[in-house]
Amino acid sequence: MKKFLIPALLIASVAFMASCCNNSNTTQAPDALVSHIDSTVKPGDDFFMFANGKWFKEHPIPASEQYNGIFQIIQDTVSAQVRDVCESSAAMTNVEKGSNRQKIGDFFYSGMDSVSLNKNGVKPLKADFERIDKIGTGKDLFKELAYIQTVAGSPMFGFYVGQDDKNSSKNAIFISQGGLSLPDRDYYFATDDRAKMIRKKFVAYLDSMYTIMGYDKAEAAKAADNTMKLETALAKSSRKREDTRDPLKNYNKMSFAQLNQDTPNIDWPVFTEDMGLAKVDSVIVGQPEFLTALNGYLKSFPMSVWKDYLKFHLLNGLASSLDDHTYMTAFNFYSKTLRGIQEPRPRWKRVVGHTNSALGDLVGQVYVKDYLPAGTKEKLLEIGHAIKKVYAERIKNLDWMTEGTKKKALHKLDVMIMKVGYPDKWKDLSSLHVDRTSYVQNVINANKWYTNYMISKYGKPVDRTEWGMEPQTYNAYYNPSNNEIVVPGCNIMVPGYERKMADDAILYAIIGGSTFGHEMTHGFDDQGSKYDAKGNLNNWWTPEDSVKFYAKTRMIVKQFDGYVAVDSLHINGSMTQGENIADLGGIMMGYQAFQQTKQYKDNKKIAGLTPDQRFFLGYAMAWMLNMRPEAIANQVRSDVHSPAKFRVNGPLSDMTAFYKTFDVKKGDAMWRPDSLRVKIW
């Protein structure tokens, strides 16, 4: 972002504002879109800042957050609503034991009881630490690993039960690389100053956590140094994040006997038995070379190092549920150092977040009844079906896909399921025990419940009605194994339009383009395109189609490789390509679907803005996020999503309609020659 603009650019922006916002055809007072515009920025140079800059100037990032913007506005709204649910539940008298309200109220109450939390410190984990200290054999080690994987995190490796990628009707066991405490393996090796600083502070953080556990100064320093060496070894043996994007290369099915034979130092029978799994016949390994390396590290690193490592992961995974000193120690590294956040959120916000996370389906039932607007499902489905119709038309008109593959693509799109609003069936958490005695124990109980719930799926048919998000979650996802899109109800919210429904230009940009269009495109991105209509990993493309498709995806990789996100740190176009493809496809679908609406056809201005202008400004609002430099750097290293600015400027730079709407010309920073504008769907 430039602080000063040359006069020509300033004049151009002012001229645009004069034409769009002071027009005599204005039908209503300037609204949220207009009030966010920064007229000192030329739209063709940085549309993200043009559309959102004034809002950013007027709403600095709170000291307790890593960013400010649309996600924060909506999250604050939802948090306030969930807080009401929590506080009213906690205040209830004679509430039925085991009821939703009892569990919500007691969980929230225990988290707000800072006096008890600070009095107890890390004592609730003392027995766990002592048990880890007594580990003497490999069998003991993997019994403790299973416990920690159940209640606190994923040391050593990733482990879960989910749909078999090649047989989506069955649940399988997945094992993947993992065991790291920094957000990505590259943090352990990057040579820039920011990464070096983070590694130094991470070792200091390890030292502090071992001190909290009761280690003396020399013991804590030694344990911290050894844990860093161990995690660096695990990182060295891990694939880069972009190399984990190909589901075919990361699908290696083998018998349980073969797994035991290949990695004899890992006591898989003890681990799986303690996880609650019996009669394991096969597993799917994501990165076999990682397990081979881990098998060696179990001998090359002394047992004492592994015990320290497990104790750290236990405490680290539960730090946010313990006393203020432990919480702040973790906050200062993970939030302040890694993301630039200056101070913690108020306790109530943190506890509301934990309650919502642990008891999401219980809170969700109350949330739907009390807060979700009537007609939410219907409006979401209306937009979703409109996007699906447009996508089908675009597939039919592709000039690079063969007819046979088009038929398969159209079939996959046709049977794609859309789950919107809220689930018809809620998870049964009746066996989860919650009381007011111990916050960390409530968290442990919830973690156990979810782990056991996941483990119980093994050997059972896949429940395709299940949701992976709650209706109060402002997000959405595409699940390739179910060939489904899930859009929770609170996605209907648009800041600035709380008391009325936003116009279709905004809804089709945010819900149509950046939500439905984005998620549908995931079914056909570099990963989703490898799954067929039934959700099975299956190459349904002809070699000719694949060659042409990947030629186009290489263009978007190169485009995003060229963007500098912060300092001298470039976006990783390979790692982010799936999301970038989905962003581009989403805005294309959303715009074409919007062109079919009455608002677009009537071509009347609202607040001085044409339908096209409102659509593109609405799309920029979808990613209205002002992020701290530290948070941007962390995202670039560890997240498959590009930073918000480039989720706007990137795809719009490839869209001819945007050029026409805002008179983008050669010489403007966002201008790209037609030959370099990516066109996939």
Side-chain angles (χ1 to χ4, degrees), residues 41 64 284 292-294 367 382 400 446 461 477 485 542 576 634 644 651-652:
V41 180
S64 62
I284 298 168
T292 300
L294 174 62
Y367 178 84
E382 172 199 318
W400 57 267
Y477 67 88
I485 299 166
T542 67
T576 59
N634 179 63
L652 293 186

Side-chain angles (χ1 to χ4, degrees), residues 382-396:
E382 172 199 318
I383 296 173
H385 285 303
I387 299 295
K388 188 184 262 194
K389 181 180 178 181
V390 163
Y391 210 153
E393 293 175 6
R394 296 185 74 90
I395 290 173
K396 291 174 185 176

